[in-house]
Amino acid sequence: MKHDSSLSCHAPASPTVAPALEPNAVAPAPGEPVYMGLPHERYLRPKLYVAAAFTLPVLVLSMGPMLWPDLAHRIDPRLSGWLQLGLTTPVFFWAGAPFIRRWWKSIRERDANMFTLTVTGTGAAYFYSAAAVCFWRFFPPEYLTAHGVPLYFEATAFITTIVLLGQILEQRAHARTDAAIRALMHLTPAIAHRVEADGREQDVPVAHVQPGDRLRVRPGENLPVDGVLTDGRAEVDESMLTGEPLPVAKQLGDKLSAGTLNTTGSFVFRAERVGADTLLAQIIRLVEQAVESEAPIQRLADRVSGWFAPAVLGIALATFLSWTAFAPERGWLYGLINAVAVLIIACPCALGLATPVSLVTGIGRGAQAGVLVKDAAALEALAGATTLLIDKTGTLTEGRPQVAFISPAGGFTETEVLRLAASAESASEHPLARAIVAAAQSRALPLAPTGEFTAQPGAGVSARVADRRVEISRAPAAYELAGHATATLVQMTVDGRDAGVIALADALKPGTTAAISALQRLGLKVVMVTGDRAAAARAVAEQLGLDGFHAEVTPARKQELVREHQARGERVVFAGDGLNDAPALAAADVGIAMGTGTDVAMHSAGLVLVKGDLAALVRAVHLSRAVLRNIKQNLFWAFAYNVAGLPLAAGALYPVFGWLLNPMFAGVAMSLSSISVVTNALRLRRWKL
């Protein structure tokens, strides 16, 4: 959301990048806008202290005679007026300077916002009161009371002070909404224990760690970078990344992530991704992008603000004119006071806070639960989704298939088929390719030199292995292998001649069946989309109780299926993890990528599930619905507050009940409404997903 939209006074600021990730970051200059177009609370706090110290005697001087009549006889009214003017002037012009600058900017850019109304109201009260002090002789006698011309410096001083307090409280509340992300930022240790070639250990700054370095992690330490376990075993607490409370057992060759906690034992791992390339750094960037993005529901508040501020200014003018016309005795004075109250109570603070604070809080809560929100619009769209199209390999299944059977043909042996297939697939990222390569390595088969490698996502690969052209693709739909009905079958040809078929089996992820049932209970129709053959897809669909499946689907066809479902009026979520899923992820109303998948898939998606399990997808649906419900609650109360408050402030109820709203109390009510919206949004931090 841009910082100067009509409700931009509450636009969420991006979380500060951690020093460990941005060592050269420079602190903002004093007074430089860092949040809602205002300076940091450290800059506002001294202004609040001065404003409060000066406002207290103004309140005593202005309201004391009403509470203690004897005080009126002890203080000369004119002396009291000059004292109030002297005390209020620094409050309005110095303490309120950030608000005045925002007010002038809104006037210059014709972009009305809360400061347009607030400063207009407090300014009217100040300049009227200043005129009454300096030029009281020119006021008609009927406008004078026993204590002189009525003054309203207390409204200017008190409202400026309370708005300063409200802005500081809101800044602190905003900072708490991304506390989980800030905690993540500080998980990476400053020092790593590098194991040198001779076995010695040397402590080095994390910034000096390079890919390939061997690092030791001791019990109770956080991992400094991403890598692979090479020596020992580990029990790693990954709760800050995945939301899972139990430590995860790590074996040789398992992936490790920066920021996770080693709970027991000591181990050595090989650094792979360092600095800004680690999963932790990517998570922080994704959350920053999401916080800066704008959900479609925010446009409702923006549209309202387009007419809200001008309408309020019109009501304030009408209030002044009506009192002047229909209440001849000091009518203009009551009109001015009530117009000021209208301007103050209509300040759209609560309306501006309604959407961004809920979104930022929800994004932070999702990060705690292993759900990374890259785009706020995706989080909103997920709440109303009706259909989930989901990839099979790596999403429903482990994504770690194993070679179950090899059926050679054309005079080739089983060993030769596996060696040639592994050589051709050695450059591919697909889980099936990795399984074939792993099978060859387990048999200690030497891989042949490979060239002219090409890959067609979802279709297969082609490569020149030694002097032979090897092509691997899906086996024909009618092809069956006895005893392998659910296996994925790939066919290999060598120089155009059939060389055999490889069957690969991939187990379902733990908890997949329960997650599918939970998603269906939430009202989602779950349909599997896979490039696998129909027989294998049908077996998986029946096992999981899916609502349907599409088999033998190419990447382009996946995208077409997304659009076909959308054309039928369905709001489509697509979940996948591979390169071949990227087009469908981008086309869907909501793209959800598995954090264990490819970078291309994660860049194409609006949400990322860190651990890659479907239980996190269930949590994401709950989160999206909770956030949208919270936003609607905030918008309702913000609108209800203004609708109820404006007539009272304008004095519309005075002829019937004799009720008038002092501008000072209007300022208190305005700030309390903002705090109530923030409090409601912060409930999301404790929401059970």
Side-chain angles (χ1 to χ4, degrees), residues 314-394:
I315 293 173
L317 179 61
T319 298
F320 174 77
L321 296 177
S322 297
W323 276 91
T324 301
F326 298 110
E329 186 177 353
R330 293 194 295 176
W332 75 273
L333 181 59
Y334 283 106
L336 177 62
I337 297 169
N338 291 328
V340 170
V342 166
L343 294 171
I344 297 303
I345 202 168
C347 174
C349 298
L351 184 61
L353 279 168
T355 298
V357 171
S358 293
L359 283 174
V360 173
T361 306
I363 290 167
R365 179 67 185 92
Q368 288 180 306
V371 179
L372 300 184
V373 182
K374 291 176 56 182
D375 184 1
L379 184 64
E380 178 183 335
L382 182 58
T386 60
T387 302
L388 170 62
L389 300 183
I390 189 164
D391 179 50
K392 180 172 76 73
T393 303

Side-chain angles (χ1 to χ4, degrees), residues 391-400 431 506 509 577 594 596 612:
D391 179 50
K392 180 172 76 73
T393 303
T395 306
L396 292 174
T397 64
E398 289 281 4
R400 294 193 293 270
D506 191 8
K509 289 183 176 179
D577 76 327
M594 304 295 116
T596 53

Side-chain angles (χ1 to χ4, degrees), residues 11 77 84 164 212-213 215 217 223 325 333 449 487 515 526 561 606 651:
Q84 291 181 56
L164 268 171
D213 286 351
L215 306 174
V217 182
L223 276 69
L333 181 59
V526 184
L561 284 170

Side-chain angles (χ1 to χ4, degrees), residues 382 385 387-392 395 524 527-531 550 553-555 557-563 565-566 571-594 601 604-607 609 614 617:
L382 182 58
T387 302
L388 170 62
L389 300 183
I390 189 164
D391 179 50
K392 180 172 76 73
T395 306
L524 287 170
V527 179
M528 182 173 65
V529 180
T530 178
H550 300 281
V553 176
T554 64
R557 178 59 181 154
K558 287 183 180 182
Q559 189 180 59
E560 291 174 3
L561 284 170
V562 168
R563 290 175 175 155
H565 281 273
Q566 290 171 328
R571 299 184 68 178
V572 179
V573 178
F574 190 95
D577 76 327
L579 176 65
N580 58 337
D581 297 321
L585 288 167
D589 294 291
V590 182
I592 298 180
M594 304 295 116
S604 302
L607 281 78
L609 308 182
L614 291 187
L617 179 52

Side-chain angles (χ1 to χ4, degrees), residues 62-228:
S62 62
M63 305 185 72
M66 291 185 288
L67 301 176
W68 303 286
D70 291 343
L71 191 62
H73 303 294
R74 302 189 180 202
I75 301 179
D76 180 69
R78 281 185 289 175
L79 175 61
S80 174
W82 283 105
L83 289 173
Q84 291 181 56
L85 174 61
L87 291 167
T88 304
T89 298
V91 174
F92 181 68
F93 287 103
W94 181 77
F99 306 147
I100 295 174
R101 285 194 291 268
R102 286 301 312 273
W103 172 83
W104 175 242
K105 186 176 182 180
S106 73
I107 299 298
R108 190 177 67 248
E109 298 180 357
R110 299 179 182 178
D111 181 21
N113 54 49
M114 65 164 284
F115 299 104
T116 311
L117 301 178
T118 302
V119 176
T120 299
T122 55
Y126 174 82
F127 287 108
Y128 155 76
S129 300
V133 169
C134 298
F135 307 106
W136 62 273
R137 289 188 176 86
F138 297 96
F139 278 64
E142 60 268 23
Y143 293 155
L144 302 178
T145 68
H147 306 295
V149 180
L151 304 177
Y152 295 94
F153 287 117
E154 83 281 359
T156 298
F158 188 82
I159 290 168
T160 300
T161 303
I162 202 70
V163 171
L164 268 171
L165 175 62
Q167 295 304 314
I168 291 173
L169 291 177
E170 290 166 15
Q171 284 201 25
R172 291 181 178 178
H174 182 278
R176 287 197 298 270
T177 61
D178 57 3
I181 301 306
R182 295 183 183 276
L184 283 175
M185 292 176 177
H186 297 289
L187 284 178
T188 304
I191 299 296
H193 313 302
R194 186 167 61 195
V195 180
E196 305 294 349
D198 58 5
R200 291 184 302 106
E201 293 185 17
Q202 180 181 2
D203 289 348
V204 297
V206 170
H208 294 171
V209 174
Q210 299 295 324
D213 286 351
R214 295 172 65 240
L215 306 174
R216 179 172 295 280
V217 182
R218 297 163 185 160
E221 292 183 339
N222 294 94
L223 276 69
V225 298
D226 292 356
V228 175

